[in-house]
Amino acid sequence: MKVIICDDDPNQRDSIRICLEISGSQHEFFEFELGSDALDFLKTNDADITFLDMGLPDMPGLEVLRQLRTMSDMPVIVVSGNDTIESIAKALTIGAADYITKPFEPIELMARVE
């Protein structure tokens, strides 16, 4: 499975990657700190799933999600520290498949991927 992880925090990227690695399945990871870099990657590459933070340094995560939806219908799981109903509802309305709040438990992340 090709996995995009877009989060400006390297520790969060590591946490997601490690959770998926210990699942035993084969994954190819593409990690980005900036939303624009993830979108550029998707212009010429495909992926099976994206984990997307809402607080990116170059552009809002919701804008990344909007643009991503014009290119692909792959599942996008938002991983965000913002746990307000408004934020969750906006992400789901724009096209997120799911929304996980930070900090998350590995078992929760894996269940949502399944």
Side-chain angles (χ1 to χ4, degrees):
M1 179 181 336
K2 292 182 180 179
V3 178
I4 293 174
I5 304 171
C6 186
D7 194 309
D8 62 323
D9 182 347
N11 293 324
Q12 283 297 320
R13 292 194 307 266
D14 288 347
S15 294
I16 294 168
R17 184 177 27 76
I18 289 167
C19 285
L20 294 173
E21 286 174 340
I22 62 174
S23 73
S25 300
Q26 291 292 93
H27 299 90
E28 187 176 2
F29 295 97
F30 303 93
E31 298 182 23
F32 302 97
E33 180 177 337
L34 302 177
S36 57
D37 290 344
L39 292 170
D40 286 345
F41 175 82
L42 284 168
K43 289 177 184 173
T44 57
N45 299 277
D46 62 341
D48 298 303
I49 191 168
T50 293
F51 293 91
L52 177 63
D53 182 27
M54 289 288 100
L56 300 171
D58 65 332
M59 61 194 306
L62 289 176
E63 182 57 29
V64 175
L65 181 57
R66 278 188 193 95
Q67 290 186 37
L68 191 151
R69 278 292 156 247
T70 67
M71 295 184 263
S72 173
D73 62 352
M74 85 174 100
V76 176
I77 298 178
V78 172
V79 183
S80 177
N82 186 343
D83 64 354
T84 66
I85 289 297
E86 294 81 11
S87 180
I88 295 167
K90 282 181 186 177
L92 294 173
T93 299
I94 292 171
D98 211 337
Y99 195 108
I100 301 172
T101 57
K102 297 175 188 177
F104 58 86
E105 293 294 328
I107 193 168
E108 177 186 12
L109 181 94
M110 293 312 303
R112 292 178 186 265
V113 169
E114 293 301 318

